[in-house]
Amino acid sequence: MGYGLPLLLILLGVLINLTGLDLTLAEKIAALEGGRFYWQNNYALATIFHAGGRNLVAVLFAGLVLVTSAGFLLPSWRRYRQSMIYVLVAASSSMLLIAGFKDITTLPCPWSLSEFGGQQPWTNLSQLFSMSLPLQHCFPSGHAAGGYAWIALGFLFPLGCQRFWLGLIPGMLLGLTFGIVQQLRGAHFISHDFFTLAICWWTAFVLSQWMNLHEVSFAEI
């Protein structure tokens, strides 16, 4: 499950993209909006869910930093310190990795395509790092990462147990919400979210295993 699920997500993302299903779904969404992504600047989607969602993630990170700091200052909170450090490192690492990918990839966003009033031609994953295309800062989905990064909460518990699945819920709900909003705005294809979730899952799993295998303890810090 730890390595298998992200590999499956990546495979599905590749198939969805290379078969053109990405473009087909984007065309159906745009058709609902009148043929183009007129909801790009919709108040509810752009202001409440996109900008507001970004602010929510910032508040969550600030709260996590405060809770982690309390683990160093308050004796009664020390037992939570290692767990909170793990979540902080895993969530921030996921988002940084995805932000790094966005800076070097050339896949355009749906709203940038000529089919929807933009100037870029449709390109698939075979041209992900094309030297002949401009950087698009679109792949994978950064906004969805602000939600999916919190699946790290599930990895505080053993894989597959009930608490593991319950711990995944906040991150999955936020990630799905942010991802759907961005697809409605024309900011991302659905395959972008598959890759984002895969990266967040892989990062959370690897870090949780690293801390256990190497017996990393922050009790003495």
Side-chain angles (χ1 to χ4, degrees):
M1 182 188 298
Y3 291 112
L5 182 59
L7 288 175
L8 177 61
L9 290 169
I10 290 172
L11 177 60
L12 288 173
V14 170
L15 290 175
I16 289 170
N17 181 266
L18 294 183
T19 59
L21 184 57
D22 260 345
L23 183 58
T24 299
L25 291 175
E27 288 173 340
K28 292 185 179 299
I29 293 172
L32 293 175
E33 301 175 25
R36 295 187 180 181
F37 291 102
Y38 292 110
W39 294 353
Q40 178 178 347
N41 298 312
N42 175 274
Y43 178 80
L45 297 179
T47 303
I48 297 177
F49 285 99
H50 184 251
R54 187 168 54 228
N55 293 336
L56 173 62
V57 172
V59 169
L60 291 175
F61 266 103
L64 182 57
V65 170
L66 288 176
V67 171
T68 304
S69 300
F72 290 93
L73 300 174
L74 304 176
S76 60
W77 285 61
R78 285 178 182 170
R79 57 179 172 170
Y80 305 114
R81 184 164 59 189
Q82 182 175 349
S83 297
M84 292 303 98
I85 288 175
Y86 160 71
V87 175
L88 182 62
V89 172
S92 57
S93 295
S94 295
M95 297 187 68
L96 287 172
L97 279 172
I98 289 166
F101 274 116
K102 288 171 68 71
D103 285 340
I104 60 174
T105 55
T106 56
L107 294 189
C109 303
W111 61 33
S112 299
L113 296 180
S114 56
E115 288 91 334
F116 308 116
Q119 298 180 341
Q120 301 298 321
W122 158 257
T123 55
N124 60 31
L125 284 167
S126 66
Q127 296 172 292
L128 182 59
F129 302 107
S130 174
M131 298 296 291
S132 61
L133 295 173
L135 296 175
Q136 296 291 331
H137 308 286
C138 189
F139 176 90
S141 177
H143 195 56
Y148 287 130
W150 298 97
I151 63 172
L153 292 168
F155 288 87
L156 292 172
F157 310 102
L159 285 176
C161 74
Q162 184 178 22
R163 288 183 296 175
F164 169 77
W165 297 114
L166 291 174
L168 295 178
I169 291 175
M172 291 298 297
L173 287 178
L174 281 177
L176 283 170
T177 300
F178 293 164
I180 291 172
V181 165
Q182 289 298 78
Q183 289 169 47
L184 291 174
R185 296 181 66 230
H188 289 289
F189 292 104
I190 189 172
S191 68
H192 295 190
D193 286 43
F194 279 79
F195 282 89
T196 292
L197 178 55
I199 292 170
C200 291
W201 186 286
W202 179 84
T203 303
F205 173 71
V206 168
L207 284 173
S208 69
Q209 293 299 299
W210 183 82
M211 292 177 68
N212 289 332
L213 290 175
H214 295 273
E215 298 181 353
V216 175
S217 174
F218 297 93
E220 302 301 324
I221 297 178

